[in-house]
Amino acid sequence: MKQVEILVIGGGPAGLCASLAASSLGAKVLMCERDDVPGGQLVKQTHKFFGSEKQYAGDRGYQIGQMLVEKVAADPNIEVWTDTTVLGYYEDGVVTCEHEGAHVKIKPQRTVIATGAAEKFLSFPGNDLPGIYGAGAVQTLMNVSGVKPAERVLMVGAGNIGLIVSYQLKQAGVDTVAVIEALPRIGGYLVHASKIQRAGIPVRTGYTILEAYGNGKVEGAKIAKIDEKWQPIPGTEEDIKCDTICLAVGLSPLTELCWQAGCQVEFIKELSGHVPITDDFLETTVPGVYVAGDVSGIEEASSAMVEGRLAGLSAAASLGYGKDVAAEQQKAAMAELDELRAGPMGERIRMGLEKVAAKGGAK
Ligand SMILES: Cc1cc2nc3c(=O)[nH]c(=O)nc-3n(C[C@H](O)[C@H](O)[C@H](O)COP(=O)(O)OP(=O)(O)OC[C@H]3O[C@@H](n4cnc5c(N)ncnc54)[C@H](O)[C@@H]3O)c2cc1C
């Protein structure tokens, strides 16, 4: 059994920042990442990020990821296990993982769960045809594996992911014939929407997909306008010829390990699904188990990095590290999160966090 002070599960922006923060106070960290390279979603983000300079706004996502990965690799307090999937969290606090072909047991004193999120899917006739992908999967094919994934795409969902992936498809020489969105308005940042509209890609709000069809693979889709009760309006059906349908209809927090650990988990719509209830320091209802990033509610890389920092500091401080500095650094991270969540774009998250507080947490 491997004994560690702090186990960080997931090597995305939240896990990387949690590891660096815990190490900065002197704690020894093991970070497990199921992919062969850490970085999480950042690995495939070729666009420039928004936000504040403190969270590297203006840099491209993959550059931010690279910078964090290099810092972690150079840190003697942090051991990184890649190609390592954490499988279980048991009642006695033992965590199991698959590592180098073996089933390995780890006994951490503290754990930070930073497993991110999974793409949501939609049910409609034909949704199991080859050629139907989550938008994130298409991004992985293009930007990580260098594969041109399609010729003609129908994108479902006009949030940031649908808009950004449509633009990246265009850059890869793929036509996005339309972006359809059930809501009456575009959900993503208008700067992303304007960019794709300037590139000639129509964004059609108030539309849904009725079905996908094709002989053994996607050859097209039927779409229709919907009314205020989200019902298709008869007579508005259209046939869209495409070889690929991308679903960009949201993400759900990947909370399986939180459930296994016995954390209180509640459904909070504004945070995009079931999320663990945490206190101000991102500790869950199971003492010694912390969360950070999309697993605690779908937000952005900027907040995932700050949450990671806060969770890492809190886990290390609870082991007695950084007695003189931890409290001040934790306070600074909390203030940064408040700043990121201020303003109209943060309203949904603020509402979600109020619900977390009402369920017994104190975010
Ligand atoms: C297309 C797209 C565009 C985006 N654009 C922006 C943007 O412009 N600005 C912005 O701020 N944010 C953006 N985001 C959001 C941002 O990427 C995420 O909010 C952020 O990556 C969340 O960080 P995380 O560390 O919580 O999760 P992730 O980045 O998802 O990392 C989680 C990591 O955990 C690993 N993992 C999961 N389960 C296990 C397990 N059991 N064992 C071991 N490892 C595990 C995963 O492999 C992954 O590497 C974008 C996201 C997408 C998809």
Side-chain angles (χ1 to χ4, degrees), residues 270-271 340-354:
E270 290 79 2
L271 300 179
L340 286 171
R341 292 164 180 160
M345 293 313 275
E347 192 184 351
R348 179 180 58 82
I349 300 298
R350 292 197 302 275
M351 280 167 63
L353 295 179
E354 273 170 31

Side-chain angles (χ1 to χ4, degrees), residues 9-14 32-35 40-41 45 47 49 84-86 114-116 139 161 164-165 293-294 299-302 304:
I9 307 173
C32 291
E33 165 56 49
R34 69 179 172 192
D35 277 348
Q41 294 294 323
Q45 306 310 337
H47 61 287
F49 275 33
T84 301
T85 302
V86 173
T115 43
Q139 225 192 5
I161 296 182
I164 288 167
V165 175
D294 279 354
E299 268 187 88
E300 297 210 318
S302 40

Side-chain angles (χ1 to χ4, degrees), residues 107-184:
K107 184 72 203 262
Q109 292 176 38
R110 301 287 184 270
T111 302
V112 179
I113 300 177
T115 43
E119 292 191 276
K120 288 182 180 162
F121 211 68
L122 274 184
S123 51
F124 52 86
N127 73 352
D128 56 350
L129 280 170
I132 299 182
Y133 294 90
V138 155
Q139 225 192 5
T140 306
L141 281 173
M142 281 190 297
N143 299 350
V144 179
S145 309
V147 172
K148 186 179 175 188
E151 295 297 334
R152 278 171 71 80
V153 169
L154 172 67
M155 180 67 67
V156 182
N160 278 328
I161 296 182
L163 299 174
I164 288 167
V165 175
S166 297
Y167 191 72
Q168 293 177 357
L169 282 162
K170 177 96 190 162
Q171 289 175 313
V174 177
D175 280 339
T176 297
V177 284
V179 179
I180 60 167
E181 165 61 56
L183 289 172

Side-chain angles (χ1 to χ4, degrees), residues 168-243:
Q168 293 177 357
L169 282 162
K170 177 96 190 162
Q171 289 175 313
V174 177
D175 280 339
T176 297
V177 284
V179 179
I180 60 167
E181 165 61 56
L183 289 172
R185 59 188 158 67
I186 292 170
Y189 293 137
L190 289 182
V191 65
H192 293 313
S194 308
K195 224 165 144 184
I196 68 164
Q197 284 167 324
R198 277 200 305 274
I201 301 170
V203 182
R204 302 175 63 178
T205 53
Y207 274 84
T208 193
I209 180 165
L210 298 177
E211 66 171 75
Y213 64 84
N215 187 10
K217 60 182 170 62
V218 171
E219 290 171 10
K222 295 263 190 317
I223 65 166
K225 224 172 167 23
I226 51 173
D227 61 21
E228 64 284 354
K229 292 188 179 133
W230 292 57
Q231 296 306 306
I233 302 171
T236 64
E237 299 84 1
E238 279 177 54
D239 186 13
I240 304 272
K241 296 281 179 229
C242 55
D243 59 14

